[in-house]
Amino acid sequence: MKVKSFFFSLLLIVLSLSSEGKFLEHSVGIYISEKGQQFFKSNLLEIMENNGFSPDKFSIPKSTFTLKESSLSSMIEDPELIDLASNIKGSFNRYFNGLEFKETHQFQIDVGDIEFKANWNEAGVEFRKPLVNEISEPYEVLAYIWINASNIDIKISSISARDLNHLFLGDVGLDGLHIKQLDESENLRIGLPLKLKKNGANDFEIIAEAPNSNTRDILFDMDFTSPIRIPEIKVSINGHEASLNLEEVETLFKDNETLILSKIQETLKEQLEEKFPAIVKTEMSKVLNGGFSEKTEMLPPGAPEGRTPKPLVSQMRIEDIDFKGDNLHIGVGLELDDPSASKQRELPPSHHAQKQPNLKSAKEENYDLTIAVNQGFINRIVQLTAYRQYFSNMPLGNGQTISLAYPPVFNLKGKNKKPSLSVVISYTVEGLAAIAVKNPIQIEMDLLLDFPIDQNTKRIGIEVSGVDMSTVHVPDRFIRMMAGVVRNSAVKQVGKLQGSIKGMKLAEELPVPTDFSGIILEKQDVEVNESGYLMIYTNYGN
């Protein structure tokens, strides 16, 4: 087994954030500093474009929606118009056979393909902490999203409507509807406040408040392709037929363009203020409370070459979105299991950092974005791989290998303590000294680790800087006699390996993410946090 490829694959999985058993809480933490948050205030358009969405021009496929069945009185506000329509319906039902108008209506509307174009002059998002004296429902984060757009151009291939309760009337509609913002109009401005919090069930709750917009103040022009589609109406009196003058209907329609556009604007504002927040709330809740919880398969690192191993199953979920000091914090829980294992083993709690990083000893405020990797997730991957016997030997790089009795354990905890990899090696004592031990013995030790950054390539590696000789120990169960002599001899044997071990590369490169939501991340520094995390400091690139 190749140690380099093992650790390369291991960290690729960890830092790519793809992840049954038990969730390892706060396996990865993302901290966006106050400085890093400034980027989102004026670069939301760039982020959207980097993620494959161009807001300047996009299409919406055709759709059909059906309104709730209701009476005229609930659809029309004008009492006189309600009375007029009721009288006409009553007269038709009374004086004409073959037509029956019901009391209620249910409209179905077909909207064809929509092409939307606009110049987005400004778009941004600002993240805010709750104010101490704010009188409102408690929340963790306020995300205020705003846009400023001009030259709005909307083309709808067709619109058709029908009353499902009166199908004999047929369809009413038009083709080639073109709504365009006038040059003298002010820009469209929309601001959407979103509040995030955790509820009693520990799920995310999104409070989408009514947007602020000037929709009613935007000036539009409207055009469409003749003719409009209306029911064919003919009247026959003693053999003399009269039909509806379609040209006059179209003229009437165009003469009322201002009224029609105002109704469209009112509908748009209603959708923005009532429907849109509800849609945002529903969709964001799906994502935050389960949208990322799909189980995915991944190949286990360290598998023998030429063999296709059964995959591990990984899963992830967002656990926290809040502020830690002035940092916007996103906490991710990860879970990893081996479905092919006959027995599922949980990771010992001591192998996982139970607390979040101690930011008092960190320097995240000096960088745009910090990625904190919990030692527990790394140890979970090592554990599952080791139980498949993929990680039983460690080559020293000079032809020598050491046999590992147990899965190695990363330990990043401890104030003023170097990070280490705890290993237990199997060793057979030869000669007369063998009578003092129970072969093969086990020797415990900690390998001290460094995470250097190559100044040219900016790659972060893992190197062994030596052995913590104070941790070299032979447990009592392997000693028959002369415990002191046996342990001193073990220290000497390990000391002879120092030269081979020091400088050994466990990974040429930690494949940390090169971008975050399309923002290029440039690695600046790395350090170990005393709470048990590898802190990777990055700045945004150009």
Side-chain angles (χ1 to χ4, degrees):
M1 177 224 140
K2 295 183 178 179
V3 176
K4 182 193 297 185
S5 63
F6 172 85
F7 280 97
F8 185 92
S9 302
L10 182 154
L11 268 301
L12 176 63
I13 295 165
V14 173
L15 296 175
S16 294
L17 297 185
S18 64
S19 182
E20 203 172 312
K22 181 180 180 183
F23 267 100
L24 300 176
E25 295 183 356
H26 205 265
S27 292
V28 177
I30 296 173
Y31 297 85
I32 305 175
S33 68
E34 194 170 14
K35 180 168 74 82
Q37 294 169 45
Q38 294 296 322
F39 181 84
F40 293 86
K41 288 185 178 181
S42 55
N43 293 278
L44 185 58
L45 290 176
E46 179 183 339
I47 295 171
M48 293 167 67
E49 289 171 354
N50 289 342
N51 284 275
F53 176 71
S54 175
D56 291 338
K57 182 179 180 180
F58 60 89
S59 300
I60 302 174
K62 59 184 178 181
S63 60
T64 298
F65 56 95
T66 304
L67 304 181
K68 290 183 179 180
E69 186 173 9
S70 56
S71 62
L72 282 176
S73 59
S74 63
M75 293 187 290
I76 304 174
E77 296 181 359
D78 190 337
E80 292 183 2
L81 193 57
I82 293 175
D83 289 341
L84 177 62
S86 297
N87 289 334
I88 292 174
K89 286 171 59 177
S91 297
F92 265 99
N93 287 337
R94 181 177 180 182
Y95 297 109
F96 290 89
N97 293 323
L99 296 176
E100 181 182 357
F101 287 92
K102 300 178 181 178
E103 291 297 322
T104 59
H105 304 263
Q106 187 173 26
F107 292 104
Q108 185 179 69
I109 303 172
D110 298 332
V111 179
D113 295 329
I114 301 175
E115 291 185 8
F116 182 93
K117 292 192 297 184
N119 290 338
W120 297 93
N121 307 303
E122 186 182 10
V125 57
E126 181 178 357
F127 302 100
R128 303 173 186 172
K129 294 190 290 185
L131 300 176
V132 176
N133 58 351
E134 186 171 0
I135 303 175
S136 67
E137 192 173 350
Y139 62 93
E140 299 289 344
V141 174
L142 169 64
Y144 187 79
I145 304 170
W146 69 87
I147 61 171
N148 183 313
S150 61
N151 296 331
I152 299 171
D153 191 299
I154 305 171
K155 293 180 179 179
I156 306 175
S157 61
S158 64
I159 297 179
S160 298
R162 66 198 62 84
D163 186 352
L164 298 180
N165 287 359
H166 303 87
L167 289 176
F168 64 84
L169 292 175
D171 284 10
V172 175
L174 49 85
D175 298 319
L177 179 61
H178 187 190
I179 301 174
K180 188 175 182 179
Q181 185 179 2
L182 297 176
D183 293 337
E184 61 268 26
S185 173
E186 60 182 274
N187 291 351
L188 173 66
R189 297 185 299 275
I190 300 174
L192 176 63
L194 297 173
K195 293 180 178 179
L196 284 76
K197 70 171 189 174
K198 287 293 215 51
N199 59 25
N202 208 33
D203 288 331
F204 283 101
E205 185 175 335
I206 293 88
I207 305 169
E209 300 187 343
N212 303 310
S213 76
N214 63 338
T215 308
R216 285 199 178 101
D217 300 326
I218 307 303
L219 302 178
F220 288 104
D221 188 20
M222 182 184 74
D223 195 9
F224 60 91
T225 302
S226 296
I228 63 175
R229 285 177 276 110
I230 58 175
E232 182 181 0
I233 300 176
K234 289 184 179 181
V235 178
S236 178
I237 302 177
N238 297 324
H240 296 279
E241 286 191 352
S243 60
L244 192 64
N245 189 329
L246 188 57
E247 291 183 359
E248 285 300 318
V249 174
E250 284 194 10
T251 300
L252 177 64
F253 189 84
K254 291 178 179 179
D255 288 343
N256 286 275
E257 177 181 314
T258 302
L259 176 62
I260 294 170
L261 283 172
S262 68
K263 290 295 183 182
I264 291 175
Q265 285 174 289
E266 286 182 14
T267 302
L268 180 60
K269 186 170 179 62
E270 178 185 329
Q271 293 290 325
L272 278 173
E273 293 182 353
E274 298 179 10
K275 305 291 178 62
F276 185 61
I279 292 172
V280 171
K281 177 178 180 178
T282 300
E283 294 304 314
M284 285 190 65
S285 295
K286 288 179 182 178
V287 171
L288 294 177
N289 294 319
F292 291 123
S293 293
E294 302 89 0
K295 293 182 180 180
T296 58
E297 294 183 346
M298 65 182 189
L299 295 178
E305 293 184 6
R307 182 186 302 177
T308 303
K310 293 183 179 179
L312 303 177
V313 174
S314 60
Q315 194 173 4
M316 67 165 278
R317 69 181 180 196
I318 297 177
E319 295 179 325
D320 299 295
I321 299 179
D322 53 18
F323 273 91
K324 299 299 181 185
D326 291 327
N327 304 290
L328 177 64
H329 165 243
I330 304 171
V332 180
L334 297 163
E335 186 177 35
L336 186 65
D337 256 342
D338 185 356
S340 66
S342 58
K343 180 181 179 181
Q344 296 295 337
R345 299 175 174 88
E346 290 189 3
L347 186 73
S350 61
H351 294 181
H352 182 74
Q354 304 299 319
K355 298 179 180 179
Q356 295 185 9
N358 179 13
L359 297 184
K360 291 182 179 180
S361 61
K363 48 187 180 183
E364 83 293 335
E365 73 280 357
N366 299 328
Y367 302 94
D368 293 331
L369 185 146
T370 299
I371 303 170
V373 182
N374 193 314
Q375 67 176 43
F377 190 59
I378 304 174
N379 284 326
R380 179 60 170 169
I381 297 176
V382 174
Q383 179 194 46
L384 294 179
T385 304
Y387 282 127
R388 288 193 177 192
Q389 303 300 313
Y390 294 167
F391 196 33
S392 56
N393 296 289
M394 180 182 290
L396 299 181
N398 59 355
Q400 293 179 287
T401 61
I402 53 178
S403 298
L404 301 178
Y406 300 103
V409 178
F410 279 85
N411 186 14
L412 308 180
K413 297 181 194 175
K415 193 172 184 179
N416 300 321
K417 183 181 177 182
K418 281 186 69 67
S420 63
L421 183 69
S422 297
V423 298
V424 180
I425 67 172
S426 294
Y427 180 78
T428 300
V429 179
E430 298 177 347
L432 291 175
I435 64 175
V437 300
K438 301 175 183 178
N439 272 322
I441 67 170
Q442 293 180 1
I443 304 176
E444 303 169 353
M445 70 181 81
D446 287 352
L447 305 181
L448 302 177
L449 304 177
D450 283 330
F451 302 91
I453 296 181
D454 187 298
Q455 294 306 312
N456 295 321
T457 64
K458 292 298 182 180
R459 293 176 177 175
I460 303 173
I462 303 179
E463 288 185 4
V464 177
S465 61
V467 179
D468 182 352
M469 299 304 294
S470 67
T471 64
V472 178
H473 178 69
V474 179
D476 290 340
R477 65 182 182 276
F478 297 103
I479 301 175
R480 297 181 188 274
M481 62 184 73
M482 298 181 291
V485 173
V486 170
R487 289 186 174 120
N488 287 336
S489 177
V491 170
K492 290 179 181 180
Q493 291 297 324
V494 172
K496 293 178 181 179
L497 296 175
Q498 278 275 30
S500 300
I501 292 176
K502 188 173 183 179
M504 182 174 67
K505 294 184 181 296
L506 298 182
E508 294 284 353
E509 178 187 9
L510 301 184
V512 299
T514 57
D515 71 276
F516 175 75
S517 294
I519 305 171
I520 296 174
L521 299 179
E522 295 181 348
K523 299 180 286 290
Q524 303 295 317
D525 199 2
V526 60
E527 70 176 2
V528 173
N529 187 271
E530 63 196 58
S531 297
Y533 291 82
L534 187 65
M535 309 289 285
I536 301 169
Y537 301 112
T538 70
N539 283 334
Y540 303 146
N542 296 322

